[in-house]
Amino acid sequence: GEDVEQSLFLSVREGDSSVINCTYTDSSSTYLYWYKQEPGAGLQLLTYIFSNMDMKQDQRLTVLLNKKDKHLSLRIADTQTGDSAIYFCAENREGSQGNLIFGKGTKLSVKP
Amino acid sequence: KAGVTQTPRYLIKTRGQQVTLSCSPISGHRSVSWYQQTPGQGLQFLFEYFSETQRNKGNFPGRFSGRQFSNSRSEMNVSTLELGDSALYLCASSGTAQGVGNTEAFFGQGTRLTVV
């Protein structure tokens, strides 16, 4: 299909790991991104992965990429209440990082 | 280093009017992209400017236009506003002064436009 797909909601308990999944569409996409949006705010770039990598770790964040299945995931270890937000995955198409295609976002709720 | 600055933060306009939004990218960045965010459609790409030229365009009507100045600041204009244009408009900057593609796009806080 044409869309970048994400599940809409995820609820976890504080201290647990969160895994947010995304399916993208363009096998030629060079970079895949994860952004975080808190209420009333813009998008904060969390991390990105180059398409020739299959894993990237950055502190509590781990990104896994399965290029064959066009599947991307973001794992947040030791999830905190401050991680509650909407998480967007995005792919770049046509080789330009200026043209990002976003998923609809996954709303992560962290319960104390 | 200052981030991406969008002005104004909030705007209320009447149907049929036009509006101009402004975006100042991170110093040294030459690419500015605009996105529209609505609850129903999510984030949709409007257009991208690089060195004062439109490099990419999304699927929006001609009422949506933009431009970029020599200092990389960008404006977008929406004419003949419709109720459905109510949205959060986000701009993102990327790219280096050397023109080499940068892997990261940094977003501003957005302009919340309400059309009544």
Side-chain angles (χ1 to χ4, degrees):
Chain A
E2 290 288 319
D3 293 340
V4 175
E5 303 278 353
Q6 296 180 243
S7 52
L8 292 181
F9 301 99
L10 177 65
S11 181
V12 300
R13 292 227 169 260
E14 195 173 19
D16 287 350
S17 291
S18 308
V19 179
I20 303 172
N21 294 302
C22 170
T23 303
Y24 63 98
T25 62
D26 190 349
S27 58
S28 67
S29 289
T30 313
Y31 293 96
L32 296 138
Y33 303 84
W34 285 103
Y35 283 88
K36 176 183 179 183
Q37 187 176 37
E38 296 180 77
L43 297 175
Q44 176 194 352
L45 177 64
L46 287 177
T47 186
Y48 62 91
I49 188 166
F50 188 49
S51 59
N52 70 352
M53 299 168 65
D54 47 26
M55 187 182 93
K56 181 179 180 181
Q57 188 153 3
D58 184 2
Q59 299 182 341
R60 293 190 298 122
L61 305 179
T62 303
V63 178
L64 294 177
L65 175 61
N66 179 331
K67 200 172 177 183
K68 175 175 165 290
D69 295 336
K70 297 181 195 161
H71 184 265
L72 183 73
S73 68
L74 174 70
R75 178 177 179 269
I76 306 172
D78 187 24
T79 313
Q80 303 298 306
T81 54
D83 295 324
S84 293
I86 300 177
Y87 290 81
F88 293 91
C89 74
E91 60 174 333
N92 75 320
R93 293 184 187 168
E94 302 170 19
S96 166
Q97 69 276 5
N99 181 20
L100 296 177
I101 307 299
F102 286 86
K104 289 282 185 350
T106 298
K107 184 172 183 179
L108 174 65
S109 298
V110 183
K111 297 182 181 353
Chain B
K1 198 177 193 180
V4 180
T5 304
Q6 290 188 246
T7 56
R9 288 292 311 277
Y10 302 93
L11 208 46
I12 300 175
K13 288 286 188 179
T14 305
R15 269 183 304 174
Q17 287 187 312
Q18 73 161 16
V19 67
T20 299
L21 313 182
S22 177
C23 173
S24 294
I26 292 170
S27 177
H29 283 190
R30 292 169 66 186
S31 169
V32 174
S33 300
W34 288 89
Y35 293 82
Q36 181 196 64
Q37 186 179 27
T38 59
Q41 298 299 316
L43 280 150
Q44 293 186 289
F45 171 73
L46 280 155
F47 28 66
E48 182 207 3
Y49 286 88
F50 182 85
S51 294
E52 302 178 65
T53 301
Q54 190 180 83
R55 189 158 72 171
N56 277 305
K57 189 175 188 307
N59 294 326
F60 278 81
R63 298 185 299 107
F64 291 81
S65 62
R67 58 178 175 168
Q68 187 179 34
F69 301 95
S70 58
N71 63 358
S72 293
R73 189 177 73 85
S74 176
E75 289 181 346
M76 69 162 278
N77 185 278
V78 188
S79 62
T80 320
L81 282 165
E82 300 176 0
L83 295 178
D85 297 333
S86 295
L88 180 67
Y89 290 88
L90 293 161
C91 98
S93 88
S94 59
T96 66
Q98 288 72 41
V100 175
N102 189 303
T103 57
E104 299 161 310
F106 297 93
F107 282 79
Q109 293 284 80
T111 295
R112 172 76 61 187
L113 171 66
T114 303
V115 182
V116 297

